Amino acid sequence: SRLILLQSVRKLEKEFGNKLGNERSNAYPAVTRGSCIYKYFPTADERLLEYDIDKVVYEQRSQFQKILIVHSRSLGNLLLLDDLQNLSESDLIYTETLMQRGKENYQGKEIVILGGGDGALLHELLKEEPKYIVMIEIDELVMKAASKYLRSCCGDVLDTLKGDNYEIVVDDCVNVLNTYIQQGKSFDYIFGDLTDIPISSNPQGETWDFIRSILSLSMEVLKPEGKYMTHGNGASCPDSLKMFERQLTSLKVPVEFSKCKAFVPSFMEDWVFYQIWKKNY
Amino acid sequence: SRLILLQSVRKLEKEFGNKLGNERSNAYPAVTRGSCIYKYFPTADERLLEYDIDKVVYEQRSQFQKILIVHSRSLGNLLLLDDLQNLSESDLIYTETLMQRGKENYQGKEIVILGGGDGALLHELLKEEPKYIVMIEIDELVMKAASKYLRSCCGDVLDTLKGDNYEIVVDDCVNVLNTYIQQGKSFDYIFGDLTDIPISSNPQGETWDFIRSILSLSMEVLKPEGKYMTHGNGASCPDSLKMFERQLTSLKVPVEFSKCKAFVPSFMEDWVFYQIWKKNY
């Protein structure tokens, strides 16, 4: 299907450039349109990346989002939610950085995961011998798809909604957090594994409202010495990260935070992760 | 300069898709044409990547090639030779995998570097206390540029053509290898840090002739128990790698080889490196 090799295009471009005395002409690598497989996804700062995707593995629109799992030659299976890179089989570093493996001690701890439908975080946290984990995911279809096609990430944790020391609640996490507050229940760790921080010019709109609301509710459910762990955005979006940090400093409960970054293979860029705790602890 | 945010394009696309009942329509992230800074470079398998390049740092055409150093927000300064990603300030892993740091012992050894004009390999090898290193680079201008703009990679090794235990010969390495053969000189390690293995449908053409010729000459100059270390190509190009391996098995001197791969940040993909030695050693 490839009519002209890039090599030939480059050669032609060079000859044209030479003839015209242009030192800076550049042939663009081809953009493939109209293929049954869509291969172009942006970085957080909207740069164009072409992935080596060779197969659509799963495609379904759930009540909440478009679920797409494709196969990449270099990454393995890759989950996209509403066309946003979510997790690939090469992204253990994502989960390990989110949970700060080796830096946090989860043994005997009570943990809530907000979101986390791909099951990778639940799977990795269970290896750390926690007392109990509740995962609250709204979209059962994501879990079904992940359990089948991202099994190297989630193991068998999504096969059942209840294990020895964990349970998966299929619900809106705002409802569940409100119930916890009413019941006076609290946790050692809360993971925000929900929507990314949006790239926007000001911290308004429903996603920002959602993020602020989740943070506030979580602080109420968190034990005094507990920690809220979450992903931020690409390191290439400093303004968006700063905006998130400003939301943190304006919460009703005063908090402090640390952050760190890791290169996430399926994002093809550095990603920033946050650890947030209540001040004076 | 950005007229419509990708977010708005995506929203529009979704609305169109919904109206038309099309589940699979996709808006392409914009390709920026006509900018003074060219930001698109391909992977080894010719996929399109947009880099976060924000500045041209150096641009010169030498007698041998086009030398371009640009600044990337995530990679630091990045050297491009004839528009091919060569080395960035984030690519220590490239040099360390090429030299198999921690797996090979360079102490007291005599070493030749063929090419290596960016100086990174020379800089890293000198830390391993070798007896003597000769680096043979044809393009003095690359070294001048690297010494100034890739200083975090090459340190001060390119400031002078002769150090305590190394020298840089500005010449065609084929000439120098032939002289070594005539003089009966031999080395413990030879590094092939020259042109990449080409992506082509058959192992013909001047680059393949050059690669075969360099390999043959190097085997003659290598001590019986010596090793030839070189980079291959992207892991995404198995055919090209196989073609290179077939050249290895058809050399006059029978050789064996091992290989390994590493993700090179500025290539945005896994790269394959070879270690080659004469059979029966």
Side-chain angles (χ1 to χ4, degrees), chain A residues 1-55:
Chain A
S1 74
R2 176 178 291 155
L3 296 174
I4 308 171
L5 283 171
L6 178 61
Q7 228 176 342
S8 324
V9 176
R10 281 277 153 87
K11 212 180 137 200
L12 192 68
E13 182 279 319
K14 202 175 169 186
E15 281 169 25
F16 270 121
N18 286 345
K19 295 271 186 225
L20 297 167
N22 187 342
E23 293 277 304
R24 272 187 160 191
S25 60
N26 275 99
Y28 284 72
V31 174
T32 322
R33 298 181 193 265
S35 156
C36 345
I37 303 171
Y38 186 82
K39 301 176 188 176
Y40 300 91
F41 296 96
T43 58
D45 57 336
E46 299 190 359
R47 283 178 288 118
L48 177 65
L49 299 175
E50 181 177 350
Y51 285 71
D52 55 352
I53 293 168
D54 56 8
K55 210 167 56 183

Side-chain angles (χ1 to χ4, degrees), chain A residues 56-217:
Chain A
V56 173
V57 171
Y58 177 93
E59 192 173 15
Q60 248 350 297
R61 197 174 284 275
S62 78
Q63 192 185 338
F64 306 100
Q65 56 204 335
K66 185 180 165 188
I67 308 164
L68 179 65
I69 300 178
V70 293
H71 179 263
S72 146
R73 284 188 296 274
S74 56
L75 302 165
N77 283 347
L78 165 63
L79 171 67
L80 298 140
L81 294 177
D82 282 339
D83 295 322
L84 223 63
Q85 303 94 312
N86 204 275
L87 191 86
S88 85
E89 293 187 284
S90 302
D91 292 344
L92 179 59
I93 187 71
Y94 178 93
T95 307
E96 292 197 320
T97 314
L98 176 58
M99 67 191 267
Q100 297 283 288
R101 177 163 270 162
K103 291 179 191 158
E104 295 291 335
N105 179 9
Y106 294 104
Q107 203 168 14
K109 299 291 164 62
E110 290 178 291
I111 303 168
V112 170
I113 300 172
L114 310 175
D118 54 55
L121 180 59
L122 178 57
H123 183 50
E124 296 305 326
L125 280 173
L126 283 171
K127 296 178 185 170
E128 311 265 322
E129 300 173 26
K131 185 174 170 195
Y132 204 76
I133 305 179
V134 185
M135 172 171 139
I136 311 162
E137 167 61 52
I138 203 167
D139 196 343
E140 210 167 355
L141 205 55
V142 169
M143 295 193 276
K144 276 200 177 136
S147 149
K148 191 155 177 192
Y149 299 109
L150 290 174
R151 209 160 176 86
S152 72
C153 303
C154 60
D156 59 6
V157 298
L158 299 176
D159 292 354
T160 162
L161 290 180
K162 207 155 175 10
D164 282 345
N165 53 350
Y166 74 94
E167 68 180 302
I168 299 167
V169 180
V170 182
D171 200 348
D172 183 334
C173 67
V174 173
N175 295 341
V176 182
L177 286 173
N178 276 317
T179 309
Y180 286 154
I181 291 169
Q182 281 159 27
Q183 295 170 339
K185 252 201 99 26
S186 64
F187 294 88
D188 298 290
Y189 286 96
I190 301 179
F191 282 88
D193 198 8
L194 298 155
T195 322
D196 286 341
I197 302 171
I199 313 294
S200 50
S201 42
N202 63 60
Q204 261 129 47
E206 52 182 291
T207 314
W208 279 110
D209 290 344
F210 179 67
I211 288 170
R212 271 188 297 262
S213 147
I214 292 290
L215 279 167
S216 300
L217 292 172

Side-chain angles (χ1 to χ4, degrees), chain B residues 151-162:
Chain B
R151 209 162 174 85
S152 72
C153 302
C154 62
D156 60 6
V157 299
L158 299 175
D159 292 354
T160 161
L161 290 181
K162 205 153 176 15

Side-chain angles (χ1 to χ4, degrees), chain B residues 214-227:
Chain B
I214 292 291
L215 279 167
S216 299
L217 293 172
S218 294
M219 287 308 141
E220 289 194 61
V221 174
L222 208 56
K223 288 187 186 168
E225 72 283 15
K227 274 191 182 173

Side-chain angles (χ1 to χ4, degrees), chain B residues 53-241:
Chain B
I53 294 167
D54 57 6
K55 209 167 57 184
V56 174
V57 171
Y58 177 91
E59 192 173 14
Q60 253 339 303
R61 197 174 285 275
S62 79
Q63 191 185 339
F64 306 100
Q65 56 203 334
K66 185 180 165 188
I67 308 164
L68 179 66
I69 300 178
V70 294
H71 179 263
S72 146
R73 285 188 294 275
S74 55
L75 302 166
N77 283 347
L78 164 64
L79 171 67
L80 297 140
L81 294 177
D82 282 339
D83 296 323
L84 224 62
Q85 304 94 315
N86 204 273
L87 190 87
S88 85
E89 292 188 284
S90 301
D91 292 344
L92 179 60
I93 187 71
Y94 178 92
T95 307
E96 292 198 318
T97 314
L98 176 58
M99 68 190 267
Q100 295 284 287
R101 178 163 269 162
K103 292 179 188 158
E104 296 290 335
N105 179 8
Y106 295 102
Q107 202 169 15
K109 299 292 164 62
E110 291 178 289
I111 302 169
V112 170
I113 299 173
L114 310 175
D118 53 55
L121 180 58
L122 178 58
H123 183 51
E124 295 306 326
L125 281 172
L126 282 171
K127 296 179 186 169
E128 310 265 325
E129 298 173 30
K131 186 174 168 195
Y132 204 77
I133 304 178
V134 185
M135 173 171 137
I136 310 161
E137 168 61 52
I138 203 167
D139 196 342
E140 211 167 355
L141 204 56
V142 169
M143 295 192 278
K144 276 201 177 134
S147 150
K148 190 156 180 191
Y149 300 109
L150 291 173
R151 209 162 174 85
S152 72
C153 302
C154 62
D156 60 6
V157 299
L158 299 175
D159 292 354
T160 161
L161 290 181
K162 205 153 176 15
D164 281 345
N165 54 350
Y166 74 93
E167 67 179 303
I168 298 167
V169 179
V170 182
D171 199 348
D172 184 333
C173 66
V174 173
N175 295 340
V176 181
L177 286 174
N178 275 316
T179 309
Y180 285 154
I181 291 170
Q182 281 159 25
Q183 294 170 339
K185 251 199 102 23
S186 64
F187 294 87
D188 297 292
Y189 286 96
I190 300 178
F191 282 88
D193 199 8
L194 299 155
T195 323
D196 286 341
I197 300 173
I199 313 295
S200 51
S201 42
N202 63 60
Q204 261 127 47
E206 52 182 291
T207 313
W208 279 109
D209 289 344
F210 178 66
I211 288 170
R212 269 189 298 263
S213 147
I214 292 291
L215 279 167
S216 299
L217 293 172
S218 294
M219 287 308 141
E220 289 194 61
V221 174
L222 208 56
K223 288 187 186 168
E225 72 283 15
K227 274 191 182 173
Y228 183 86
M229 318 282 280
T230 194
H231 51 81
N233 210 319
S236 60
C237 297
D239 292 347
S240 168
L241 295 166

